[in-house]
Amino acid sequence: RDNKEYVALVQHMLSTPGFYFSYTYDLTHTQQRIHYLAENNNLHSPLHERADDRFVWNQHVLRDFAVQPELRRFTLPILHGCIRLQFYFRVCDCLVRFAM
């Protein structure tokens, strides 16, 4: 019974919008920070080790998996939040803001 409740809770949480992840790209850092990490050869460490803890939703679980060598390959930082895209452009000398 407890396992079914746990699975239902996880399914409910993961069905909410706003979860983001990438298998190859670090979503927790800005492009500038990633460039700095690349210059210092810090991009060779796994994503869960170099991800910014402030933005990783499942950080507490990743720590438990990361200390067990046989489970490290299952670690994937997940972010929960929103992404806002906004840019400005001109149309007939009028500045227009476009946001999503």
Side-chain angles (χ1 to χ4, degrees), residues 24-56:
T24 57
Y25 188 78
D26 184 356
L27 299 173
T28 65
H29 291 292
T30 63
Q31 188 64 39
Q32 292 86 357
R33 177 80 174 142
I34 291 172
H35 179 74
Y36 172 78
L37 292 171
E39 285 181 345
N40 294 308
N41 291 323
N42 290 333
L43 288 181
H44 298 294
S45 58
L47 276 175
H48 72 274
E49 290 180 7
R50 67 176 188 256
D52 189 335
D53 292 347
R54 297 176 299 165
F55 306 111
V56 179

Side-chain angles (χ1 to χ4, degrees), residues 14 17 19 45 50 52 65 74 78:
L14 294 178
F19 283 101
S45 58
R50 67 176 188 256
D52 189 335
F65 275 61
F74 298 109
I78 297 176

